Amino acid sequence: MKIYAHRGFSGQYPENTMEAFLQVLKTPAEGIELDVQLSKDGEVVVIHDETVDRTTSGSGYVKDYSLTELKKFQIHHSNCSVQTIPTLDEVLYWIQETQLSLNIELKTDRIRYEGIEEKVLMEIEKYGLSDRVYFSSFHYETVQRCKCLAPHIPAHFLISRSFKKSPLTLKVDQINGLNPNVALLKNQKRIRLYQMQGIKIYPYTINQKEQLSLCLATRCDGVITDYPVQLKEWLSQLA
């Protein structure tokens, strides 16, 4: 079962920052999950929310600021020095020297960033990392678009509340995985239908021992967690 650090080691460091990503190297995680959006001038930036309000010193929508303007916003946290919003390019430049895999979530379910799929793919190919990356999104058309542009790169569909796409639909569309909210794992029969079609299961966000037990019971292929160190300890105990 692969462990992905959710927005980096976000349980102890500021999410989606270079510090949170660097700290993953000190954990048992095999990969990092991060979120990308586009700046006003079309740069791929790493941030979860459509606005900068919650995580930075700024306010307003990401799409309304240029990269230069976004870089001026500060991210404060008690466990590290002041951080800034990284670009996907910065993350890929760093990660190429590691053994980590990367789950790139395209945040297109609320704002449709035109051309974001092509831009992300261009960055991946720039660093030759297509064999260590997989795409994910809550927006099914984005997942399809990623698969169309790069059939060789796995693409996963994220779901939060219900199974709106059938296992056969994902199979026909050549979607490789499903990233469900952990609560949906309770419907084990439904999960098994996807697995029978060869769909990999990577639930989020696994931060409790009971949740991990459920992942083991449903034979998940991987998990996404804020606490990769603690999760590995639980995994050893449960095994």
Side-chain angles (χ1 to χ4, degrees):
M1 182 182 293
K2 293 184 178 180
I3 299 175
Y4 277 78
H6 186 229
R7 307 177 198 172
F9 194 173
S10 60
Q12 294 189 25
Y13 299 91
E15 66 178 62
N16 279 329
T17 62
M18 288 308 302
E19 185 65 25
F21 301 147
L22 287 166
Q23 293 297 329
V24 173
L25 291 174
K26 300 178 182 179
T27 77
E30 291 102 329
I32 291 172
E33 183 270 353
L34 57 76
D35 311 278
V36 296
Q37 305 193 51
L38 292 185
S39 65
K40 185 178 181 179
D41 48 349
E43 296 293 332
V44 185
V45 292
V46 181
I47 185 171
H48 178 270
D49 298 359
E50 285 76 17
T51 66
V52 298
D53 301 57
R54 180 178 64 86
T55 56
T56 81
S57 59
S59 65
Y61 284 92
V62 173
K63 67 180 181 63
D64 292 335
Y65 291 102
S66 67
L67 177 59
T68 300
E69 292 169 331
L70 289 171
K71 282 290 187 181
K72 293 178 181 178
F73 299 141
Q74 297 184 334
I75 302 171
H76 296 273
H77 196 278
S78 59
N79 284 349
C80 64
S81 60
V82 175
Q83 300 290 298
T84 58
I85 298 172
T87 62
L88 180 60
D89 184 80
E90 290 176 88
V91 177
L92 294 178
Y93 176 80
W94 164 75
I95 210 169
Q96 67 177 329
E97 301 300 330
T98 75
Q99 299 300 312
L100 294 170
S101 298
L102 196 59
N103 166 13
I104 301 177
E105 180 184 341
L106 289 80
K107 302 295 292 185
T108 53
D109 49 313
R110 295 186 180 180
I111 297 175
R112 183 67 184 99
Y113 293 107
E114 192 66 36
I116 190 172
E117 298 91 351
E118 289 87 347
K119 289 177 180 290
V120 170
L121 181 59
M122 189 181 303
E123 296 283 3
I124 292 168
E125 292 181 337
K126 174 182 175 181
Y127 292 102
L129 291 170
S130 60
D131 60 338
R132 288 164 54 190
V133 167
Y134 81 84
F135 301 119
S136 65
S137 180
F138 283 103
H139 191 249
Y140 194 70
E141 286 72 19
T142 291
V143 181
Q144 289 179 298
R145 179 67 177 157
C146 287
K147 200 63 187 174
C148 179
L149 291 169
H152 58 294
I153 299 179
H156 292 205
F157 182 43
L158 278 152
I159 56 172
S160 59
R161 297 175 183 172
S162 61
F163 299 95
K164 295 181 180 180
K165 298 291 181 180
S166 72
L168 186 57
T169 296
L170 267 65
K171 178 72 172 179
V172 170
D173 290 341
Q174 299 183 317
I175 305 305
N176 307 94
L178 192 68
N179 289 21
N181 183 298
V182 63
L184 295 177
L185 292 184
K186 295 177 181 178
N187 190 343
Q188 294 190 30
K189 291 183 178 180
R190 183 70 169 169
I191 291 294
R192 183 58 185 153
L193 291 176
Y194 287 94
Q195 292 172 323
M196 289 173 65
Q197 294 294 337
I199 305 298
K200 294 186 180 298
I201 306 296
Y202 282 69
Y204 69 93
T205 307
I206 313 305
N207 290 336
Q208 298 175 14
K209 193 173 184 178
E210 294 76 14
Q211 293 173 330
L212 182 58
S213 295
L214 188 56
C215 293
L216 290 171
T218 48
R219 301 180 182 180
C220 294
D221 300 278
V223 293
I224 300 168
T225 179
D226 296 332
Y227 302 97
V229 176
Q230 181 66 72
L231 195 92
K232 187 66 173 181
E233 291 178 4
W234 289 336
L235 195 57
S236 298
Q237 294 170 10
L238 292 169

